[in-house]
Amino acid sequence: MARDVLNGKKIVLGVTGCIAAYKSAYLLRELKKRGADVKVVMTPSATEFITPLTLSSLSQNPVVVNLFPPSQSEDTGLTTWHIDLALWADLILIAPATVNTVAKIAHGFADNALTTVVTAARSPVIIAPAADVDMYENQLTKENLQKLESLGFYIIPAEEGELASGLKGKGRFPETDKITDVAEMILSGYKKDLTGKKILITAGPTYEDIDPVRFIGNRSSGKMGFALAKAAYLRGAEVTVISGPSSETAYQEVKRIDVRSADEMKKAVTKELKKNDVLIMAAAVADYKPARKVAKKLKKEQKLSEIKLSVTDDILASIKKEGKTVVGFALETDNELANAKKKLKSKNLDMIVLNSLKDKRSGFEFDTNKVTVIKRSGRAIKLPLQSKFQIANKILNEILNV
Ligand code: CTP
């Protein structure tokens, strides 16, 4: 199993003064859990919201707050500590970043410990701003964030929702998972290379109803499809997920369309594909459905001995593909490579991702996967066992090269 990308990475976590600062403790715990070595730098106003002691206890490292030692006797002797810290970091993550810190960094200020370290940074810098809606939507803030993005900072936009003031709108600090996903993505060397692309992804199983209570389904969890959706969004794409019944979730910026059956999925794919450049059919679409759905619950006394089935439409084979990049999945138990290549040809795909049920910790329900990507040319690329998020990013790389 591949090592967690965050394991052993050196991260400077910058915390600034807004109410979301308390959430940095959860973020810090998650980074530590995943094996990162974290050193926290706080702005003086961040200490009004959360104590340095909390963050030093969680990080197991001293927390830097002051640019200068409070007195000569407390001097550490490390006169270029800000440079040392900036050079130490594989990644600087400012979460949450106030509009004040965003403005300072955008204008090259180095007036506190955090802005000074950022000015000296050689590593990538991720900024997750959080503020009340009017502060976040302020044109000055927008321009500062745009400027930082154009300079190569990775900005995680604030989310929409209820804010500490009671107002609703954009400004919410993102969920911890999204921030760690961005950290993993940046530390893996990915960037926003899918900007301008519109990607449609199907995920999960389909349920084919027998009666109002029972259905024919399959074991697909939706994890691979949702991992693809997250990775594609973080790399800048506009993403729509059409999901069968699945408990997986994407980020709030990913458009989600829930469907139940193969027929519903076909309708949704046909409609949405017109608005997208790429289709990735990661869903495990049922091949059979009950020939008719019974309106009332079937009773035991009916002594049912068989259910008549009919074949569902093959969505991938039947959709119009002109001008689109179309990627399928193939789930096989025998003759894997040959069967996947056959599907690639018969469904006229640009690429197919082969999942073998023979592989351990791979396929249904696992957070990890091991796949072979097969291109139209027949070239097969084996991807060893790794997290579905990492696999998703590698599939996206291949999509960029079809
Ligand atoms: N697929 C589809 N519509 C269906 C069945 C499958 O679009 N009714 C898509 C899946 O989303 C997947 C690809 O076709 O991307 C291959 O699915 P798979 O189940 O591996 O193959 P099938 O074509 O269904 O063939 P079989 O089950 O016989 O292996």
Side-chain angles (χ1 to χ4, degrees):
M1 169 63 189
R3 225 168 116 99
D4 187 330
V5 174
L6 294 184
N7 193 3
K9 289 293 182 319
K10 301 184 194 96
I11 300 177
V12 168
L13 176 63
V15 181
T16 71
C18 72
I19 181 59
Y22 81 90
K23 294 185 183 169
S24 62
Y26 296 99
L27 175 60
L28 174 49
R29 276 203 65 174
E30 187 58 26
L31 294 171
K32 289 288 293 177
K33 214 164 85 185
R34 290 183 59 179
D37 187 2
V38 186
K39 292 187 179 173
V40 176
V41 181
M42 300 174 80
T43 60
S45 52
T47 63
E48 302 285 338
F49 294 91
I50 184 164
T51 69
L53 182 60
T54 306
L55 299 180
S56 64
S57 306
L58 292 173
S59 66
Q60 296 163 306
N61 272 319
V63 168
V64 179
V65 181
N66 298 306
L67 190 51
F68 302 106
S71 69
Q72 285 300 313
S73 60
E74 287 181 54
D75 191 349
T76 57
L78 295 168
T79 47
T80 58
W81 65 267
H82 55 300
I83 307 294
D84 299 338
L85 195 55
L87 293 181
W88 172 85
D90 296 313
L91 176 74
I92 298 178
L93 171 58
I94 309 177
T98 58
V99 298
N100 186 37
T101 293
V102 165
K104 284 182 185 180
I105 298 171
H107 290 85
F109 279 63
D111 64 342
N112 62 33
L114 180 60
T115 51
T116 304
V117 171
V118 172
T119 314
R122 287 192 185 178
S123 69
V125 181
I126 298 171
I127 298 182
D132 215 81
V133 57
D134 296 305
M135 295 172 80
Y136 186 73
E137 299 275 23
N138 187 306
Q139 194 53 32
L140 288 164
T141 307
K142 282 187 184 165
E143 284 175 20
N144 288 334
L145 289 170
Q146 273 161 15
K147 183 176 174 188
L148 289 172
E149 188 147 54
S150 71
L151 290 171
F153 291 79
Y154 190 102
I155 309 297
I156 310 179
E159 295 188 349
E160 190 116 21
E162 215 162 285
L163 303 164
S165 62
L167 294 176
K168 279 195 178 124
K170 268 202 179 140
R172 265 179 77 88
F173 188 58
E175 295 302 322
T176 299
D177 282 359
K178 192 202 254 175
I179 301 174
T180 52
D181 287 347
V182 174
E184 175 174 345
M185 202 194 79
I186 297 293
L187 284 166
S188 306
Y190 298 116
K191 51 181 191 294
K192 285 198 171 174
D193 51 1
L194 293 172
T195 304
K197 289 235 181 301
K198 294 183 176 163
I199 304 187
L200 179 62
I201 297 163
T202 64
T206 64
Y207 285 178
E208 310 302 325
D209 290 336
I210 299 168
D211 69 7
V213 183
R214 294 98 168 186
F215 60 85
I216 299 171
N218 62 65
R219 288 176 51 200
S220 168
S221 59
K223 283 181 193 283
M224 193 61 240
F226 278 87
L228 277 159
K230 289 177 177 181
Y233 166 75
L234 296 181
R235 286 170 69 169
E238 205 177 295
V239 182
T240 303
V241 177
I242 299 173
S243 177
S246 163
S247 56
E248 292 297 307
T249 51
Y251 313 129
Q252 69 170 211
E253 296 88 350
V254 170
K255 180 175 164 193
R256 179 183 182 139
I257 299 166
D258 285 307
V259 297
R260 184 169 171 82
S261 63
D263 288 348
E264 281 177 29
M265 188 168 276
K266 184 181 178 190
K267 247 188 230 153
V269 169
T270 309
K271 185 170 168 224
E272 294 298 316
L273 186 57
K274 293 180 193 131
K275 303 176 227 163
N276 285 276
D277 316 309
V278 179
L279 168 65
I280 311 176
M281 279 292 297
V285 187
D287 291 327
Y288 297 99
K289 61 181 180 183
R292 65 185 188 96
K293 182 185 162 189
V294 185
K296 287 187 184 161
K297 185 183 173 194
L298 290 164
K299 302 299 284 178
K300 220 183 303 182
E301 302 88 75
Q302 289 173 260
K303 303 230 175 318
L304 197 69
S305 61
E306 61 181 32
I307 298 168
K308 281 222 157 50
L309 300 175
S310 63
V311 176
T312 59
D313 289 343
D314 190 313
I315 304 172
L316 259 187
S318 61
I319 44 142
K320 286 206 178 83
K321 302 184 182 76
E322 289 81 44
K324 314 283 178 191
T325 301
V326 181
V327 179
F329 271 69
L331 182 68
E332 306 292 342
T333 52
D334 313 281
N335 291 327
E336 293 98 327
L337 206 59
N339 279 337
K341 283 187 175 173
K342 217 159 94 189
K343 280 179 193 168
L344 176 89
K345 276 230 163 67
S346 66
K347 301 193 190 207
N348 185 22
L349 308 175
D350 294 293
M351 211 169 97
I352 197 156
V353 182
L354 165 64
N355 248 312
S356 169
L357 274 190
K358 279 185 189 156
D359 290 321
K360 283 194 183 117
R361 305 200 56 75
S362 162
F364 293 140
E365 293 150 16
F366 288 111
D367 288 321
T368 48
N369 211 357
K370 181 178 168 186
V371 303
T372 304
V373 174
I374 307 158
K375 302 293 224 16
R376 201 185 265 276
S377 64
R379 193 162 80 90
I381 303 149
K382 280 191 176 173
L383 301 177
L385 190 73
Q386 55 205 297
S387 73
K388 285 187 172 168
F389 185 67
Q390 283 291 331
I391 291 276
N393 274 297
K394 286 175 184 130
I395 292 172
L396 292 171
N397 285 352
E398 296 306 327
I399 290 175
L400 279 167
N401 292 318
V402 285

